[in-house]
Amino acid sequence: MNSVLFLRSLAMCGVVCVATGLAGAQSKSVQPMLLVVNQGDRDLSLVDPAAGKQIATVPVDGVTGHEVAASPDGKTAYVPIYGDSGVGKAGTDGSKLSVIDLASRKIVHTVDFGHGVRPHCAIYDRNSGMLYVTTELDKSVSIIDPKSLKIVGSVPTGQEQSHMLVLSRDGSRGYTANVGPGTVSVLDMKGRKTLAIIPISKDTQRISISRDDSMVFTADQTKPQLAVIDTATNKIKMWVPLPAVAYGTASTLDGRWLLVTQRTGKQVVVVDLKTMKVAQTIDVADGPTEVLVSPDGKSAFVSCTRSKQVAQIDLEQWKMTRLIDAGVAADGLAWAK
């Protein structure tokens, strides 16, 4: 090879190597990270889901947080500081939201609600660009601008203990599970008003919505059954019998299956949303609470509060593939991607 060809080859090699390096850096930057809030440890676990390992923990302002949301760019986590009480029980009333920079693994800002509100569930709405946080003691959902980190409004729920929130895909409708009243509030998120209050039972927990927005699911805490709400009528469409009392729910990305945690049975049941019957039962660790489907739709991750772990479920084989160590009373989950 002559010197000219050699130099050309060397230059091409440099271009390819640089391009490959950039591609590697880009792929590494978009790798999803699983966030886990540990109530007992009062911190946030950062988990590498590919390796199945906790890579770091971040304290969340010294008081108990339960849930977490992440910004769409995966750089920031938001943890409402609920306090040390149970829902509707005596204890401290949290009044802040910790804003965590995931790169430096530090709290970089605190949003102060000004008084005790027991902030609990946080959702980052990509449609409006707003961060919604349930504020139980105010019977509302507070609206925070993530850019200014200012509270810019609220949506009344009309009920006490509005614990969990879920949004329709376009962000126009919100649904809260109101624990003690045993109801679900239907919210107009743009109009900032309550549209309906749906009676469920004496006690309800958690809430999710189907992929096509046609159904909302919430778990009766007095009987082993799941309420299915028709979003067109805002009424209970049917009840799905379950092996045990349910807790958290989440639909698979194809919209065909609903994963339901059963804390007393150490199991996750799979409901076929075509037949509305239990199709699978999957053994996990102790205290399965929240369930989150991976961005690629291949796995589900389940926080197991009593075992201090997160269970990973293969959604093709319908079985638990591994347990990932987290912290004491592992609870809320979110994807940073």
Side-chain angles (χ1 to χ4, degrees):
M1 181 183 295
N2 62 39
S3 58
V4 174
L5 289 175
F6 174 76
L7 290 173
R8 286 179 178 175
S9 298
L10 187 60
M12 288 300 297
C13 179
V15 170
V16 171
C17 290
V18 170
T20 303
L22 287 173
Q26 289 171 353
S27 64
K28 190 175 290 186
S29 66
V30 298
Q31 174 67 39
M33 180 186 298
L34 179 64
L35 308 178
V36 187
V37 179
N38 305 303
Q39 288 190 34
D41 287 335
R42 300 180 177 184
D43 64 16
L44 179 70
S45 288
L46 279 56
V47 173
D48 179 345
K53 292 182 179 180
Q54 176 180 272
I55 57 176
T57 59
V58 183
V60 293
D61 211 10
V63 190
T64 304
H66 295 190
E67 300 293 324
V68 59
S71 59
D73 61 11
K75 295 180 179 180
T76 310
Y78 306 91
V79 180
I81 306 303
Y82 187 78
D84 61 9
S85 61
V87 185
K89 297 179 181 179
T92 59
D93 302 329
S95 61
K96 297 178 180 179
L97 173 114
S98 292
V99 181
I100 298 169
D101 176 68
L102 293 174
S104 64
R105 300 171 185 172
K106 294 180 180 179
I107 295 175
V108 293
H109 193 84
T110 299
V111 177
D112 193 337
F113 292 94
H115 61 284
V117 294
R118 295 192 180 185
H120 188 258
C121 179
I123 294 180
Y124 197 117
D125 177 32
R126 294 172 183 250
N127 299 282
S128 64
M130 293 292 109
L131 181 71
Y132 295 109
V133 181
T134 57
T135 36
E136 289 183 8
L137 298 185
D138 278 355
K139 302 179 185 178
S140 69
V141 175
S142 292
I143 306 170
I144 297 172
D145 182 345
K147 294 181 179 178
S148 65
L149 291 173
K150 301 291 184 183
I151 299 169
V152 296
S154 66
V155 183
T157 66
Q159 297 280 276
E160 295 182 348
Q161 299 171 24
S162 298
H163 198 57
M164 299 297 289
L165 168 70
V166 69
L167 299 177
S168 60
R169 301 298 169 227
D170 64 1
S172 64
R173 291 288 179 268
Y175 303 86
T176 59
N178 311 310
V179 179
T183 60
V184 167
S185 294
V186 183
L187 310 176
D188 178 347
M189 302 307 288
K190 295 180 179 178
R192 301 185 182 182
K193 60 184 179 181
T194 305
L195 297 177
I197 295 174
I198 307 167
I200 303 298
S201 72
K202 292 182 180 180
D203 190 356
T204 191
Q205 256 291 355
R206 305 279 160 157
I207 197 161
S208 69
I209 192 167
S210 61
R211 293 290 168 180
D212 63 0
D213 287 343
S214 66
M215 296 176 286
V216 165
F217 312 100
T218 190
D220 185 348
Q221 296 300 281
T222 67
K223 297 178 182 178
Q225 61 181 6
L226 189 73
V228 181
I229 297 169
D230 184 339
T231 58
T233 62
N234 288 331
K235 294 180 179 180
I236 294 178
K237 178 180 181 179
M238 66 180 297
W239 292 94
V240 178
L242 299 169
V245 173
Y247 205 69
T249 58
S251 300
T252 55
L253 296 192
D254 61 6
R256 174 67 191 276
W257 313 97
L258 183 73
L259 306 174
V260 184
T261 61
Q262 297 189 135
R263 301 180 88 188
T264 56
K266 302 180 185 179
Q267 292 178 325
V268 171
V269 299
V270 183
V271 175
D272 185 335
L273 292 180
K274 287 187 176 180
T275 65
M276 289 299 179
K277 294 181 180 180
V278 174
Q280 303 277 349
T281 301
I282 304 166
D283 292 329
V284 290
D286 195 5
T289 300
E290 191 158 316
V291 56
L292 183 68
V293 177
S294 62
D296 62 10
K298 294 180 180 180
S299 299
F301 292 81
V302 181
S303 58
C304 299
T305 302
R306 298 187 190 99
S307 73
K308 302 183 288 185
Q309 294 170 310
V310 175
Q312 182 175 352
I313 295 173
D314 185 321
L315 296 180
E316 292 182 354
Q317 300 183 39
W318 299 114
K319 68 177 184 180
M320 183 178 70
T321 54
R322 63 183 169 189
L323 288 169
I324 302 169
D325 290 334
V328 176
D331 190 2
L333 304 173
W335 288 110
K337 55 178 181 173

